Amino acid sequence: MIFDSLKNSALYYGVHPRLKRAFELVAATDWSTMEPGIHELEGRDIYVNVMERALKTKDEAKLEVHDEYIDIQVLVSGNCEAFGWSERSALEKPREAFSREKDIQFFDDEPQTYYTLRPGQFTILFPEDGHAPMVGEGTVRKIIVKVRK
């Protein structure tokens, strides 16, 4: 897991070959006006889900993991969004089997820690990271950039 300010995104270009392009696309787009939904940026190698949603309580937000994609989550508007985080290897309570079609599995484990994302910040979540996004009060607009690993 990486948590930082968008102004520092260039520091992470070397972490994965597609991250530089993904961050360039994030910087070049006005996400405040884009229609919610899935938008392909580079086919299914880099695509974005634009979301406007109400935040959840810690109990409602379940840890999730992915196998095929790295998430770059960016808060576009709203006060803040908390994330629960756990090492994937520590997760022991799957809610269901892994969905290859949706590239997701949910868990009932308690997160090991929480951190808060504010507008202008991002978090990168790798397949090794269990994460419970969308925790807090109110409504947010955010993007989740999916980067094929």
Side-chain angles (χ1 to χ4, degrees), residues 57-129:
T57 66
K58 287 181 177 181
D59 289 338
E60 293 170 328
K62 298 300 175 189
L63 287 161
E64 61 186 70
V65 297
H66 311 289
D67 283 350
E68 296 300 317
Y69 286 91
I70 299 165
D71 282 2
I72 303 172
Q73 299 203 21
V74 180
L75 188 60
V76 176
S77 63
N79 185 37
C80 63
E81 173 189 5
F83 282 76
W85 178 87
S86 289
E87 294 177 70
R88 183 177 187 163
S89 61
L91 299 177
E92 298 176 338
K93 300 176 184 173
R95 291 184 68 113
E96 71 275 325
F98 190 90
S99 170
R100 297 265 172 238
E101 179 183 328
K102 295 180 180 179
D103 188 41
I104 198 164
Q105 184 177 21
F106 292 97
F107 291 81
D108 284 328
D109 298 68
E110 290 294 319
Q112 293 172 328
T113 194
Y114 284 89
Y115 62 99
T116 301
L117 193 69
R118 299 191 189 293
Q121 297 175 331
F122 70 91
T123 187
I124 302 175
L125 299 153
F126 298 92
E128 297 80 16
D129 297 312

Side-chain angles (χ1 to χ4, degrees), residues 30-39 48-53 140-143:
D30 181 0
W31 299 106
S32 66
T33 60
M34 181 146 323
E35 285 293 315
I38 304 293
H39 303 273
V48 65
N49 185 3
V50 179
M51 305 170 70
E52 288 183 7
R53 299 231 174 111
V140 296
R141 180 176 184 91
K142 68 181 288 185
I143 59 170

